[in-house]
Amino acid sequence: MASLSTTRNEVFSSLAKIRNKVRKRRSRKEGHNVSAMKSLPNDLLLEVIAKVASNSFDDLCRIRQTCKEFKEAGQEDYIFQHVSIEKFPLFPLRKRKRFSELMRRCQKCGNAEALYRQGVLDLFSLRKRYEFESGFECLEKAAAKGHIEATYLYGVFLTCVGGEAKQQGLQSLCSLNSKNLSESRERFMTYIQSMWVNNVLVRKILAYNDRVKACSQCGNLQNNFVTKRGWDDVYDEGDNLNGCGSCKMNREVNIFCDRLRSSTYVNSL
């Protein structure tokens, strides 16, 4: 029995030594990777961290905890310009002060998502003083950076303004595919349904939509673009629509206005 116990102890001791060696090798390998990253030129290091940050804010937090150099580089404006904040709610339930500071920092650094959110709040939120110029400017900047939802809302606004601006708005909408259009519209409606809405701009948009009844390019009637049936509004979002490309975008603005009308009505009760 004593011999068997001794043999078992020797086996356990050998396994422990092997495990410690593996851990040391793994630690040296990870340390070597970190050292290699730290040796990169500063511009290249910022690009790497910005790429990580654009994947998710959590990934940025993790890489900043790796070493002092990464923590300092992770505080640069360039990183906050590219960091992903899409997963954050528009109105967080906790840590609101820290969240507001993060949003202000991202907006100041030119983060497209932060600019889009600020534009929506300036234009539509009842919690803020109505600021059309600053809100529209935020949307314009975000759209110029290629932000899909900002491009959509910017295009809808210009189309609703009419005149020379309408053609520019239709071009902005035409740059998006059907998936971009529907997802951008529904994301905006989710934001609208989560806030008390300032109806100043809403009334102007809906007044335009009620006034204009024909496509500016080919003259097709707009009321042919939207189909309603049953208890709920049902929209055929396929591409089988007669008319020009502008007809399809005018039709999208109609759908947007119908959804906006129903969403803001719910919030005004």
Side-chain angles (χ1 to χ4, degrees), residues 39-100:
S39 65
L40 292 174
N42 188 60
D43 291 347
L44 186 55
L45 179 61
L46 286 178
E47 288 291 344
V48 172
I49 297 178
K51 185 65 176 179
V52 172
S54 67
N55 184 56
S56 79
F57 184 80
D58 290 340
D59 288 346
L60 172 61
C61 292
R62 293 189 188 100
I63 196 171
R64 285 175 55 188
Q65 294 173 356
T66 306
C67 65
K68 179 181 178 181
E69 287 79 3
F70 288 0
K71 182 178 180 180
E72 292 177 352
Q75 291 286 1
E76 294 288 338
D77 289 348
Y78 185 73
I79 305 302
F80 284 89
Q81 179 184 347
H82 292 86
V83 66
S84 173
I85 55 175
E86 282 82 359
K87 293 182 179 180
F88 287 112
L90 188 62
F91 300 107
L93 299 177
R94 300 184 303 164
K95 300 180 179 179
R96 295 182 180 180
K97 183 177 179 181
R98 292 182 61 183
F99 177 78
S100 296

Side-chain angles (χ1 to χ4, degrees), residues 208-246:
Y208 167 84
N209 185 247
D210 290 337
R211 185 175 68 250
V212 179
K213 297 299 181 182
C215 174
S216 58
Q217 298 296 315
C218 67
N220 274 353
L221 295 178
Q222 285 198 21
N223 55 13
N224 292 331
F225 301 162
V226 179
T227 302
K228 299 183 180 181
R229 57 182 181 270
W231 291 101
D232 299 318
D233 293 349
V234 179
Y235 303 105
D236 177 14
E237 300 193 30
D239 293 329
N240 55 343
L241 174 70
N242 294 328
C244 63
S246 295

Side-chain angles (χ1 to χ4, degrees), residues 142-186:
K145 290 176 176 290
H147 191 276
I148 293 175
E149 289 88 348
T151 301
Y152 173 83
L153 197 55
Y154 179 70
V156 169
F157 282 170
L158 290 180
T159 302
C160 289
V161 168
E164 296 180 358
K166 181 174 182 176
Q167 189 58 36
Q168 184 181 349
L170 292 173
Q171 290 176 357
S172 294
L173 292 173
C174 286
S175 69
L176 305 176
N177 59 40
S178 58
K179 183 181 179 181
N180 293 153
L181 293 172
S182 60
E183 290 182 350
S184 298
R185 181 205 323 131
E186 295 311 312

